[in-house]
Amino acid sequence: MLFILVLLTSFLSILYLTAPSIRKFFAGGVCTTNVQIPGKVVVITGANTGIGKETARELARRGARVYIACRDVLKGESAASEIRADTKNSQVLVRKLDLSDTKSIRAFAESFLAEEKKLHILINNAGVMMCPYSKTTDGFETHFGVNHLGHFLLTYLLLERLKESAPARVVNLSSIAHLIGKIRFHDLQGQKRYCSAFAYGHSKLANLLFTRELAKRLQGTGVTAYAVHPGVVLSEITRNSYLLCLLWRLFSPFFKSTSQGAQTSLHCALAEDLEPLSGKYFSDCKRMWVSSRARNKKTAERLWNVSCELLGIQWE
């Protein structure tokens, strides 16, 4: 028993001593384009923290007018102030957006459209992960409501402005967790059976299917769409699960930083000549394989139609 304990302790010690090298190995791709985007307008959801904040920082550094759309406005203002000081770009703005409330989404869109005549990049970055069973203001299961329906509605409301500003891009943050996802049309709200991990996977699969169908419907408009897996990142998305918070702390030396996690979002927002790959899934700044469920055309079309019905919109 003592021997096993000593062996385990030695293994963990070696593992943590080599953590910087391991982390560097798994850091993934880097957005290599040097393109500058002065005058371009960007909206990033959930950019008050984590990957979204680092994405906002880099786009502001490249000259964009960046809107941080988030639920916690005070935290958003703190992030914006930090980014403005860091990038010397005063055009970093904060607006209230609660993706769990369709009224808030519509209010944000109405205000933004009145304020801005252009929108070149929409990054649907915000999300929730492994929440205990709960519902949004409108009665949707939280993962499905926030991660999928909230961004579905936001994109719908801002789409005409994106078309008017073409070439324009939509970047949807998905996850490798889509591999465990399944669109259960008979139980989209998780009322019959619920597991927070699978609910998260379902919502991330929905993000991929939405991206695929959106890209198909946007052909010829000058607006393209991409889905992103940022990697395993040391961020606040685990805040709803005590177990994940513990695991994230324990293995934090091996995870990507938020800056590293933002690289693929930046690649899909900025890389030149990416238009032929509209609708595709990216990780570590390159195109990645997706599950057969994420490639199912009929499921994508049905999810699109059901989402429109749930939100009470007509999106041809």
Side-chain angles (χ1 to χ4, degrees):
M1 186 66 179
L2 181 60
F3 173 74
I4 294 174
L5 185 60
V6 171
L7 194 64
L8 182 60
T9 303
S10 300
F11 172 73
L12 289 174
S13 298
I14 293 170
L15 195 61
Y16 272 84
L17 284 172
T18 57
S21 298
I22 296 172
R23 186 173 186 171
K24 185 177 181 180
F25 178 79
F26 286 109
V30 175
C31 177
T32 56
T33 179
N34 294 316
V35 66
Q36 300 297 306
I37 51 173
K40 299 294 185 181
V41 180
V42 180
V43 169
I44 311 177
T45 66
N48 58 321
T49 186
I51 297 169
K53 180 180 175 182
E54 294 309 314
T55 305
R57 188 193 307 275
E58 183 58 28
L59 293 175
R61 184 174 285 119
R62 292 173 187 247
R65 180 176 171 90
V66 179
Y67 282 82
I68 292 175
C70 60
R71 183 173 57 178
D72 189 333
V73 175
L74 289 178
K75 199 168 185 178
E77 290 291 356
S78 177
S81 179
E82 178 188 321
I83 293 170
R84 286 192 291 262
D86 183 34
T87 64
K88 312 305 180 191
N89 183 345
S90 62
Q91 299 299 297
V92 182
L93 310 169
V94 180
R95 298 294 182 266
K96 172 80 172 180
L97 172 66
D98 184 350
L99 288 163
S100 69
D101 184 348
T102 57
K103 288 183 179 179
S104 175
I105 298 169
R106 290 182 178 278
F108 167 83
E110 183 180 356
S111 175
F112 175 83
L113 293 173
E115 187 173 0
E116 287 288 347
K117 300 307 178 187
K118 296 290 183 180
L119 175 58
H120 302 94
I121 302 172
L122 170 62
I123 302 182
N124 291 320
N125 165 87
V128 294
M129 181 180 184
M130 291 186 69
C131 303
Y133 187 78
S134 58
K135 291 185 176 183
T136 67
T137 303
D138 301 275
F140 307 128
E141 186 277 317
T142 300
H143 292 92
F144 186 70
V146 172
N147 296 351
H148 170 60
L149 290 176
H151 284 127
F152 188 95
L153 178 61
L154 178 65
T155 306
Y156 164 78
L157 294 170
L158 299 180
L159 189 59
E160 288 306 313
R161 192 57 40 92
L162 284 161
K163 289 179 179 178
E164 293 165 4
S165 310
R169 296 183 181 184
V170 178
V171 180
N172 296 322
L173 265 73
S174 181
S175 169
I176 195 171
H178 83 273
L179 294 172
I180 66 169
K182 183 178 181 181
I183 305 302
R184 302 166 65 238
F185 288 105
H186 66 287
D187 190 26
L188 284 176
Q189 311 309 333
Q191 294 173 311
K192 296 179 180 179
R193 185 175 61 186
Y194 182 78
C195 168
S196 60
F198 282 107
Y200 178 70
H202 301 335
S203 71
K204 295 293 101 179
L205 174 59
N207 293 151
L208 277 172
L209 291 166
F210 170 46
T211 303
R212 180 189 183 93
E213 187 67 14
L214 179 64
K216 184 182 80 173
R217 292 169 181 255
L218 288 176
Q219 289 179 5
T221 66
V223 182
T224 50
Y226 311 90
V228 166
H229 167 54
V232 183
V233 180
L234 192 62
S235 69
E236 295 181 14
I237 195 170
T238 61
R239 58 188 175 273
N240 295 300
S241 169
Y242 291 115
L243 177 59
L244 274 184
C245 284
L246 180 61
L247 289 173
W248 251 238
R249 282 182 177 274
L250 183 61
F251 292 101
S252 60
F254 311 103
F255 292 168
K256 286 185 179 183
S257 66
T258 50
S259 177
Q260 291 167 338
Q263 294 304 305
T264 307
S265 295
L266 291 166
H267 174 76
C268 288
L270 299 169
E272 300 93 336
D273 304 320
L274 208 63
E275 287 77 12
L277 296 178
S278 182
K280 304 306 180 184
Y281 174 56
F282 289 78
S283 180
D284 289 333
C285 298
K286 59 182 182 292
R287 182 180 171 184
M288 291 295 288
W289 174 89
V290 294
S291 70
S292 58
R293 288 172 177 165
R295 300 193 303 272
N296 191 301
K297 295 180 181 180
K298 289 184 178 180
T299 303
E301 290 173 1
R302 185 179 177 187
L303 178 63
W304 182 283
N305 292 331
V306 169
S307 299
C308 287
E309 290 173 12
L310 290 170
L311 292 166
I313 60 176
Q314 290 186 332
W315 192 349
E316 300 301 331

